[in-house]
Amino acid sequence: MTQVLMEYFKEYNIWFLGILLLVQSTGIPTGGTLLVIASGAFSYAGEFNIFILFIEVWILISFGDWGSYMIWKFIGHRVLNKFPKVKRYMEPKILKSHKYLEQHGRGAVFLTRFLISPMGPFVNAAAGIADYKMSYFILFAILGEFLWSFIYLGLGYWFGDSWESIVPIITQVSEILAGLIILGIIIHLFIKTLKKK
């Protein structure tokens, strides 16, 4: 799979990477992060200008977040309106999401861009469907994606020819962080339920 992605990337460059990053923002795994690291390594080898590449990646991934937010904001509500039972079930949860985002949305959007990026698509969905303020979402998504682009391109550039050796480590760290957050949420909900009883 990695080899296929690399071949397409070498042929279509930033356009192929852009499509992968846009799709990745919706939560579909595409290998876009892997190619961002690889493109950093290619910049080290002199195939790309690292500064231009950074701007392109930053704009594309930020645009992907905005697109994902908009999909959930408009299509999400239409889908729920077609299924009244699902809508009745989801409405209390959407209201809770809205309240949570009003209090912690800026930090949640910012941190899920780079520190716990596997959670990013879920925050995009929650922000869109819960009508979180678009200007805040875009601002903190752009700031977070600045760091994401810097970190992953920087890692590829720093490790150069040996960039492939760091990919499993990055993947494992991301999975562990996402797992810890999910575990924390489950424990929090469990304690909350016990307190109510």
Side-chain angles (χ1 to χ4, degrees):
M1 181 66 179
T2 304
Q3 194 61 39
V4 173
L5 287 174
M6 295 303 295
E7 289 300 320
Y8 275 101
F9 178 62
K10 285 176 182 175
E11 188 170 348
Y12 300 109
N13 293 348
I14 195 68
W15 302 110
F16 179 66
L17 178 58
I19 290 166
L20 292 184
L21 292 176
L22 292 173
V23 174
Q24 181 174 295
S25 298
T26 64
I28 300 169
T30 62
T33 304
L34 171 78
L35 284 188
V36 169
I37 297 169
S39 64
F42 294 154
S43 296
Y44 173 80
E47 293 185 37
F48 298 109
N49 180 311
I50 189 68
F51 298 107
I52 293 171
L53 187 64
F54 171 78
I55 296 297
E56 290 172 337
V57 167
W58 182 29
I59 289 170
L60 288 165
I61 194 71
S62 299
F63 188 73
D65 285 332
W66 174 78
S68 177
Y69 169 90
M70 294 303 285
I71 287 168
W72 284 101
K73 185 174 179 69
F74 294 107
I75 296 174
H77 285 294
R78 288 181 186 174
V79 170
L80 287 177
N81 287 334
K82 287 186 179 180
F83 301 98
K85 286 183 181 178
V86 177
K87 186 177 180 180
R88 278 195 300 275
Y89 173 77
M90 290 298 293
E91 273 180 342
K93 290 160 181 54
I94 292 169
L95 187 62
K96 278 185 181 178
S97 296
H98 183 77
K99 285 179 181 175
Y100 175 84
L101 287 167
E102 286 299 313
Q103 293 175 340
H104 310 289
R106 297 170 193 184
V109 172
F110 180 70
L111 293 174
T112 55
R113 300 309 101 180
F114 67 97
L115 186 60
I116 40 175
S117 51
M119 300 296 291
F122 299 105
V123 172
N124 294 351
I129 207 159
D131 289 323
Y132 181 61
K133 195 171 181 181
M134 190 189 299
S135 58
Y136 288 159
F137 178 85
I138 291 170
L139 174 62
F140 287 94
I142 286 171
L143 292 173
E145 294 301 6
F146 179 91
L147 289 175
W148 184 90
S149 304
F150 180 81
I151 289 166
Y152 286 103
L153 277 173
L155 283 169
Y157 192 85
W158 180 266
F159 282 90
D161 294 335
S162 58
W163 66 270
E164 289 180 85
S165 63
I166 62 165
V167 172
I169 298 166
I170 293 167
T171 305
Q172 286 174 356
V173 169
S174 294
E175 287 173 356
I176 289 167
L177 283 171
L180 287 172
I181 286 166
I182 291 167
L183 180 64
I185 291 167
I186 291 168
I187 291 169
H188 171 73
L189 292 173
F190 180 70
I191 291 168
K192 206 173 178 182
T193 307
L194 286 178
K195 282 180 179 178
K196 281 182 181 177
K197 287 182 179 179

